[in-house]
Every structure is written in structure tokens, then in C-alpha cells.
Amino acid sequence: MKIIMLGAPGAGKGTQAKKIAEKYGLPHVSTGDIFRANIKNGTPLGIEAKKYMDEGKLVPDELTVKILLDRVAQDDCKNGYILDGFPRTIPQAEVLDKALTELNDKIDYAIDVEVPDENIINRMGGRRACLACGATYHVVFNAPKKEGICDACGKELVLRDDDAPETVKKRLDVYHEQTQPLIDFYNKKGILKEVDGTKEMNDVFNAIVSILDK
Ligand code: ADP
Ligand code: AMP
């Protein structure tokens, strides 16, 4: 099963992708996580990507598409995967489509987690991330057991640089302009599924499971 998570930054794509990954035994592929790991390790890709990420802009398609196609060509993606944060532009979606068609393959579901912009600002201000293992928390809605410490790996949690309110506003503009058109793109392919992302995390998850288990 191959799944794409769509939705604004902060809609809950990563939160849900991790839960789906666990339940269905599929790898969670997040381009944002891949970029952050590269930034942490000081690689040339990380240094280049950081320039765009800190400004709330998208990393150029040429860079992003390559790292994504390399990632999904790995062995653990043979039986499927969940894409979180990719595609974010129509050209990215077209390249993915073409690569899959060449393999006689396709995406099964594009799940759009719908959350209005008003709710997003709140969520992002409260998001805390573990840059060591990729886990994500919220100070109110999904607090770690010990404040500021990752439940999963014990490392310190941080407020992501790009979660500052001004950058979030910029990211939302970029989302509406460049990423939202993907909803229509996947609707036309007949694989779009919409869920109400304003609900409590487990309710959102149950809605997704009922789509995938149909
Ligand atoms: P995305 O991957 O779409 O950017 P995240 O999954 O990181 O979004 O979620 C953004 C923030 O909102 C995180 O702090 C997360 O814990 C919180 N969150 C996710 N889903 C919900 C929900 N249904 N209700 C309240 N908070 C949520
Ligand atoms: P995310 O963790 O998905 O919120 O992504 C964080 C940032 O990484 C984004 O704001 C972009 O700058 C960059 N990024 C992640 N995925 C992509 C993508 N598919 N295309 C372009 N930039 C991306």
C-alpha cells in the first residue's frame, strides 16, 4: 500500500503517518525529516536545504525529487510506504507518478488532513520536536511525559526554527499557492480521501483506518 499524506504544515500529517506506519508495518518517509537529518549532520544537502527551510520556502524540486526517489527505491519500501510532506508541488507529483508508472505501480490513497489556517498557528507554536529520533509532541495536545524530553529516546525537545509564527505564516502562503493544487490533482485521479484534522488525534486516526481497511 502506497499512501500520500496531504495537508497544510501542522495539519497532523506526521502524527498520523507515524501511527499508520506502526499499524500497517510500512515505512514513514518524511522529506522534512530527511532534510533535518542532513542539517544536523552538516551535509552539503542539509546546508543547501536549510537556506530555504528557515525562510519557510520550499526546497527546490530538483533536490527534493532526487532524495525522495532514492529513498523509495530502498528495500524497506518494496511493499509500500507513507509519504509525509512529499509531493508539495505539481511537478513533484508528476515526477513521482512517472517513476511509479515506469514500474507499473501507483499511489493507492492521497489522504488530505483538513485543518483551517486559524488552528494551524496554535498547533505550530505548541509543537516540540525531537531532532534525534523525529518524534513530535504538542505542549497541550500531546505532551511528553517529562517536559522538554523525548519519551522515545530521552533527548531534548526543541521548537523547530521554522515553527516561529512569522515563518508559519509564510509556510501557509506557500502551502496555499504551491501545495493545495495537489488536492485537485489527486481528486481527478480518484484516489483523494479527506479527513477532518481538527478532531482529536485518535479520532483522526480512526477515520483514516476506516478508509484504508475498506
Ligand atoms: P505536520 O506533519 O502536518 O506538519 P504534525 O503531525 O507535526 O504536523 O502536527 C503539528 C502539531 O500539532 C504537533 O505538535 C502535533 O502534536 C499536533 N497535533 C497533530 N494532530 C493533532 C490533533 N488532531 N489535535 C491537536 N493537535 C494535533
Ligand atoms: P515538514 O517537516 O514536512 O514540515 O517540512 C519542513 C520544510 O522542509 C518545509 O517547509 C520545506 O522547506 C522543506 N520540505 C519538506 N518537504 C519538501 C518538499 N516535498 N518539497 C520542498 N520542500 C520540502
Side-chain angles (χ1 to χ4, degrees):
M1 188 157 58
K2 296 186 176 63
I3 304 168
I4 288 173
M5 302 303 293
L6 293 175
K13 300 180 297 294
T15 301
Q16 297 302 329
K18 287 188 184 80
K19 287 161 87 71
I20 302 167
E22 197 181 336
K23 179 170 166 73
Y24 296 91
L26 295 170
H28 166 210
V29 176
S30 156
T31 38
D33 282 353
I34 295 172
F35 288 137
R36 281 184 289 277
N38 277 275
I39 291 172
K40 194 162 162 259
N41 295 326
T43 68
L45 171 66
I47 292 165
E48 184 64 16
K50 189 171 172 15
K51 292 192 234 162
Y52 299 93
M53 291 168 74
D54 282 354
E55 285 188 30
K57 294 180 182 162
L58 295 184
V59 177
D61 287 346
E62 310 83 78
L63 280 180
T64 310
V65 160
K66 185 178 180 322
I67 61 146
L68 188 278
L69 292 182
D70 285 351
R71 176 65 190 90
V72 296
Q74 286 172 19
D75 238 26
D76 63 329
C77 288
K78 243 192 233 146
N79 296 324
Y81 42 76
I82 304 146
L83 299 186
D84 161 17
F86 186 98
R88 262 182 158 99
T89 64
I90 296 278
Q92 289 181 13
E94 286 172 343
V95 172
L96 176 64
D97 229 36
K98 186 163 169 278
L100 286 171
T101 306
E102 278 166 12
L103 297 170
N104 223 346
D105 206 347
K106 61 174 178 40
I107 296 292
D108 299 292
Y109 299 101
I111 299 176
D112 178 32
V113 183
E114 293 180 301
V115 176
D117 287 9
E118 311 78 271
N119 303 34
I120 296 286
I121 308 274
N122 250 339
R123 284 205 187 172
M124 303 292 247
R127 171 155 69 182
R128 295 294 178 272
C130 176
L131 298 183
C133 77
T136 304
Y137 302 86
H138 190 282
V139 291
V140 177
F141 306 124
N142 181 25
K145 292 193 182 78
K146 192 165 171 221
E147 196 185 320
I149 301 294
C150 179
D151 291 351
C153 76
K155 297 270 163 49
E156 203 180 326
L157 299 176
V158 297
L159 175 66
R160 274 168 45 179
D161 290 345
D162 59 346
D163 281 350
E166 277 318 303
T167 316
V168 170
K169 282 193 195 115
K170 169 77 186 161
R171 291 167 70 198
L172 279 170
D173 289 344
V174 168
Y175 167 74
H176 290 302
E177 201 179 300
Q178 300 193 60
T179 308
Q180 212 169 17
L182 290 173
I183 294 176
D184 195 41
F185 179 92
Y186 288 111
N187 195 19
K188 286 193 176 125
K189 289 187 180 294
I191 59 167
L192 181 75
K193 305 284 171 188
E194 295 180 307
V195 294
D196 179 355
T198 64
K199 298 252 164 56
E200 199 270 316
M201 285 173 205
N202 284 327
D203 294 339
V204 181
F205 183 56
N206 289 336
I208 294 174
V209 168
S210 61
I211 291 165
L212 302 181
D213 284 353
K214 220 177 217 167

